[in-house]
Amino acid sequence: MHVIKKVVLAAAAIFAAGMVYAGNERLQSDNINKAEWVEVEYTGINNSISVKGTVIELNRRELFPQYMSRVTGISVKKGQKVSKGDILMTFELEAGQAFASAFYNDIQNRADELSQGVLFEPNLPVKNIQGEKYHIISPINGTIMDIDCSLGEVLSGAFPCIVVSDLTDLAVRAGVGEDKISEIELGMSCLTKVSSLSDKNFIGRITEIEPYASSGSFFDQSGEVETDVTISLSGSVTELKPGYTASTTVMLGEEKNKIVIPYECIGQDDNGEYAFVVDSRGYLVRAQIETGRELEDGTEIVSGLTRGDIVIIDPIKYKEGERVKLN
């Protein structure tokens, strides 16, 4: 009887100990923090660079008087739309054409020396007869951008008197820093935004890369060495105006098999950046990481994580070695 009693007591003690252990396990389980998580996977990164520029006119025509002439008629006004062949201005030749002709030649030679392009483009053949009348005719469909003379004024012909531009043919001129220009190639796709139309993207391509660099582009006086590139825009550009400030993203191409995790998965302390990886038993293991580019949907991880790792969100809420329950 005593033996049986001892066995029963021992069994009861074991059962009680088991209940206590189970209770402790349940208590510990109830105290385990829940954690949001993501699985590390390979993804492709659309590599790009951003540049600042301004909207320019690709088809802008500056028109000049022929020889020394008096303005006898102005048929248009600034901002008016015109068609190819429309008469814009009427002139009458003044005396002193021989002097004026020599003056043009000197100006043109200097322009050639300075690589400034053609300053004088005759519109119609003109006879050397004082009082001969002629017209300036629009060479394109466009909009009158500027009129730089008044009725009755005598012009030398060295400078443009009227400017017409095709506002359906616009582009972006942007400066690319010397550290990035080697990545730019003709034909690369671009997305452009302007500050006044921030909700719209304009699609385009790189169509011109200047063969030289300069300190500060025409729209930026920062002094940074840059190379100007031209980005032609496709589709409707009627909402744009020359001179608008533009922000352009140049698509450099996709890089495959990269690791990107949400910003919220990255912690930082005195030892650097880290992520908490959940091991097979549910414990948090610190992974020291090296980050790369900041992307729209997360941060590139250069080292420290591998495909298939489970990392938790908001690691600052947890401690290394802590056991968690995954949501």
Side-chain angles (χ1 to χ4, degrees):
M1 292 292 294
H2 292 290
V3 174
I4 295 174
K5 184 176 182 180
K6 290 180 179 180
V7 171
V8 170
L9 289 174
I14 292 171
F15 178 76
M19 293 297 292
V20 170
Y21 177 79
N24 288 337
E25 282 290 298
R26 284 195 298 272
L27 182 61
Q28 291 178 9
S29 178
D30 291 340
N31 290 332
I32 293 177
N33 287 324
K34 295 181 179 180
E36 300 289 338
W37 58 280
V38 296
E39 182 177 354
V40 175
E41 297 179 339
Y42 286 142
T43 187
I45 295 178
N46 289 316
N47 199 13
S48 64
I49 62 171
S50 296
V51 295
K52 298 290 186 180
T54 191
V55 177
I56 63 169
E57 304 147 78
L58 285 179
N59 195 4
R60 177 184 175 93
R61 303 294 183 88
E62 296 181 338
L63 306 177
F64 298 76
Q66 300 181 48
Y67 305 108
M68 187 172 290
S69 305
R70 182 182 299 276
V71 181
T72 59
I74 300 176
S75 306
V76 293
K77 60 183 179 179
K78 192 173 180 178
Q80 180 177 333
K81 292 184 178 181
V82 296
S83 299
K84 182 177 180 179
D86 284 353
I87 294 176
L88 307 181
M89 306 182 80
T90 302
F91 291 89
E92 183 176 297
L93 293 179
E94 288 288 310
Q97 293 183 55
F99 169 80
S101 181
F103 176 70
Y104 293 136
N105 288 335
D106 290 341
I107 292 292
Q108 184 63 66
N109 291 337
R110 179 58 60 87
D112 292 340
E113 291 173 4
L114 297 176
S115 299
Q116 295 298 310
V118 176
L119 290 178
F120 173 59
E121 293 184 4
N123 296 291
L124 292 171
V126 178
K127 298 178 181 179
N128 294 327
I129 302 175
Q130 183 179 357
E132 180 81 10
K133 292 186 177 181
Y134 67 95
H135 305 296
I136 286 184
I137 296 174
S138 179
I140 59 172
N141 297 328
T143 300
I144 301 300
M145 304 299 290
D146 196 16
I147 299 175
D148 195 22
C149 62
S150 57
L151 197 64
E153 185 176 355
V154 177
L155 305 178
S156 69
F159 302 99
C161 58
I162 190 167
V163 179
V164 60
S165 182
D166 181 358
L167 296 184
T168 67
D169 192 9
L170 301 178
V172 171
R173 181 70 57 79
V176 182
E178 57 184 333
D179 59 330
K180 295 292 185 182
I181 190 61
S182 62
E183 302 178 57
I184 301 294
E185 296 179 1
L186 292 174
M188 282 183 167
S189 298
C190 305
L191 291 178
T192 293
K193 286 182 177 290
V194 296
S195 57
S196 60
L197 301 167
S198 57
D199 60 338
K200 182 172 181 178
N201 281 319
F202 293 88
I203 300 172
R205 291 187 178 277
I206 301 287
T207 54
E208 184 178 352
I209 303 172
E210 294 293 348
Y212 58 87
S214 58
S215 180
S217 62
F218 73 100
F219 58 86
D220 181 9
Q221 301 301 317
S222 64
E224 181 184 358
V225 176
E226 295 180 328
T227 299
D228 284 343
V229 301
T230 301
I231 301 150
S232 294
L233 303 175
S234 58
S236 174
V237 294
T238 55
E239 299 165 277
L240 297 179
K241 294 185 182 299
Y244 275 0
T245 300
S247 299
T248 297
T249 300
V250 183
M251 304 300 180
L252 302 179
E254 185 182 44
E255 298 180 30
K256 298 183 178 180
N257 296 330
K258 298 294 181 179
I259 290 176
V260 177
I261 63 174
Y263 310 111
E264 298 82 7
C265 292
I266 300 173
Q268 187 169 14
D269 56 21
D270 293 341
N271 295 319
E273 294 178 308
Y274 67 92
F276 278 149
V277 177
V278 183
D279 69 12
S280 59
R281 299 178 301 161
Y283 291 95
L284 298 182
V285 179
R286 179 186 174 109
Q288 203 70 29
I289 60 174
E290 179 184 354
T291 58
R293 290 160 289 186
E294 297 289 333
L295 305 169
E296 185 175 347
D297 54 353
T299 300
E300 178 188 14
I301 303 301
V302 177
S303 64
L305 296 176
T306 60
R307 184 181 183 183
D309 283 344
I310 302 298
V311 296
I312 62 168
I313 296 174
D314 292 329
I316 194 173
K317 296 180 180 179
Y318 306 90
K319 296 180 180 179
E320 183 178 3
E322 180 180 351
R323 189 179 181 189
V324 297
K325 182 177 181 181
L326 301 180
N327 272 348

